[in-house]
Amino acid sequence: MSVRNVIIVGSGPAGLTAAIYASRANLEPLLIEGYQSGGQLMLTSEVENFPGFRGGIMGPELMGEMRAQAARFGTEIITADATKVDLEGPIKKVWVDDDLYEGHTVIISTGAKAKLLGLENEGRLMGRGVSTCATCDGFFFGGKDIAVIGGGDSAMEEANFLTRFANKVYLVHRRDEFRASPIMVDRAKANPKIEFVVNTVVEDVLGEDAVTGMALYNRVTEERSEIAVEGFFVAIGHKPTTALFAGQIDMKDNGYIITSPNKHQQTATNIPGVYACGDVQDDHYRQAITAAGSGCQAALDAQHYIEALEDAAEAAAAPA
Ligand code: NAP
């Protein structure tokens, strides 16, 4: 099989924007989109801050549009997870199980995933009341008391969203200061269905076959308590999906891929011809639009790398 110009791994806003740009540059990119394609916006409801949609757009609809746009210009899409990579040398190798794909460049856009608290019962009760996705699962908690854990924008947003369904939402945070923007905190505080439980850590989520409550510890009063809830939404941030690249691509201590903002190629990794874009290399902005923007940069960086390869090949072939 021929060596591809560009192999893109991951299909959130970053990967799909890279695919749109690379396919419009006639690079015929291969996109390995993953079984859970579309990234985190597939787990959101309405997106109000993506430019161009003044009335808002549903996250899955936005991703569907981006995917169709990438396909329209000739992106080849494989719906499977990349399982192994070998990125050293001029020809990069990406495996999907036993199938090997080779490329001159690879764009990594595998995004980030929701973090868990690491509680004893959290895994066992996942999908039985424990959730990391309010928009996916909120519907199941109509009229029930539930909890959201975290003090960032995600926790505020999810708590507010869940009041559409729930009778009451406890917002449990380990401190009494919030990482969330003041407007999001104010909105949650103004919501009569949300009760803030601060300076409090969750010791465990309770229940045999389904969530029935949570065991709490107040760090200030040093008191332990239990609150009955049927839903338990963890909203404490994300971790990058980078295990596939460990040992090959340079990463920060928190696992995010290091790109080179000071170089001419802003999405370059430590390996020539390998680029990273979107949340997998952004632990700061983490927005759909910034991910899309860096996807565009990665495609242009890959395009320039390929052009330089072609120039070098032409120069080598030219008569002396
Ligand atoms: P985040 O800002 O990193 O906040 C994570 C929260 O979870 C923090 O309050 C943190 O507590 C808490 N936490 C972390 N680990 C914990 C643990 N083991 N036990 C208990 N609590 C824990 O993450 P995020 O809320 O997901 O937001 C990520 C980024 O997306 C931010 O830049 C945010 O602005 C953005 N975002 C924006 C919107 C919006 O504008 N509509 C919506 C969602 C997200 P500490 O504060 O004590 O560390």
Side-chain angles (χ1 to χ4, degrees):
M1 186 180 292
S2 63
V3 178
R4 321 256 173 167
N5 287 312
V6 186
I7 299 175
I8 302 166
V9 185
S11 61
L16 287 172
T17 304
I20 292 166
Y21 270 76
S23 54
R24 287 196 77 256
N26 286 337
L27 294 175
E28 299 174 328
L30 172 70
L31 171 66
I32 301 173
E33 69 173 350
Y35 288 114
Q36 291 179 328
S37 60
Q40 293 178 64
L41 283 191
M42 298 300 277
L43 310 178
T44 24
S45 52
E46 194 150 15
V47 181
E48 292 183 323
N49 52 9
F50 200 90
F53 302 94
R54 64 176 162 174
I57 182 168
M58 300 304 280
E61 189 186 347
L62 178 60
M63 299 321 297
E65 287 295 324
M66 285 191 202
R67 188 181 190 277
Q69 194 175 354
R72 176 186 163 200
F73 296 111
T75 300
E76 184 185 342
I77 301 175
I78 295 177
T79 305
D81 292 333
T83 48
K84 194 172 114 181
V85 297
D86 180 356
L87 302 173
E88 287 296 338
I91 306 296
K92 322 296 177 197
K93 297 184 174 68
V94 181
W95 282 266
V96 173
D97 299 320
D98 291 336
D99 296 332
L100 168 64
Y101 301 92
E102 294 183 320
H104 295 296
T105 65
V106 168
I107 294 177
I108 300 170
S109 48
T110 44
K113 283 205 176 77
K115 278 190 203 165
L116 293 173
L117 290 159
L119 305 173
E120 196 176 328
N121 290 328
E122 197 176 29
R124 187 171 55 77
L125 294 171
M126 183 64 66
R128 300 170 174 195
V130 175
S131 171
T132 57
C133 178
T135 46
C136 316
D137 300 330
F139 182 79
F140 302 118
F141 296 90
K144 298 184 172 163
D145 290 354
I146 62 175
V148 173
I149 318 304
D153 281 330
S154 297
M156 301 301 146
E157 191 172 74
E158 296 198 1
N160 263 313
F161 173 74
L162 287 165
T163 60
R164 293 190 198 182
F165 313 99
N167 174 57
K168 178 165 191 167
V169 177
Y170 295 97
L171 192 136
V172 183
H173 180 39
R174 61 185 176 184
R175 298 187 294 143
D176 60 0
E177 288 174 354
F178 298 95
R179 233 173 254 275
S181 46
I183 190 171
M184 301 284 273
V185 177
D186 290 347
R187 203 178 286 170
K189 282 189 169 162
N191 189 323
K193 283 188 167 182
I194 298 177
E195 180 176 330
F196 279 65
V197 182
V198 295
N199 293 320
T200 298
V201 294
V202 182
E203 293 196 316
D204 211 348
V205 53
L206 308 173
E208 285 302 317
D209 300 323
V211 171
T212 55
M214 53 187 174
L216 304 175
Y217 174 71
N218 187 307
R219 298 165 63 208
V220 174
T221 64
E222 299 186 357
E223 282 172 8
R224 290 195 155 77
S225 63
E226 287 185 13
I227 294 182
V229 288
E230 291 177 72
F232 185 85
F233 289 81
V234 184
I236 59 166
H238 293 82
K239 71 170 180 225
T241 311
T242 48
L244 188 62
F245 311 103
Q248 299 187 50
I249 297 288
D250 287 350
M251 298 172 194
K252 298 186 202 174
D253 289 345
N254 61 8
Y256 284 79
I257 289 177
I258 297 171
T259 48
S260 314
N262 296 321
K263 287 191 191 161
H264 187 56
Q265 294 209 315
Q266 294 202 6
T267 64
T269 67
N270 57 303
I271 299 183
V274 179
Y275 302 92
C277 54
D279 284 14
V280 76
Q281 52 84 57
D282 175 12
D283 57 2
H284 183 62
Y285 295 106
R286 296 187 279 206
Q287 300 300 300
I289 188 64
T290 51
S294 73
C296 160
Q297 290 176 310
L300 293 176
D301 288 347
Q303 181 187 333
H304 294 147
Y305 177 90
I306 290 161
E307 284 165 0
L309 286 183
E310 289 168 353
D311 289 349
E314 266 177 39

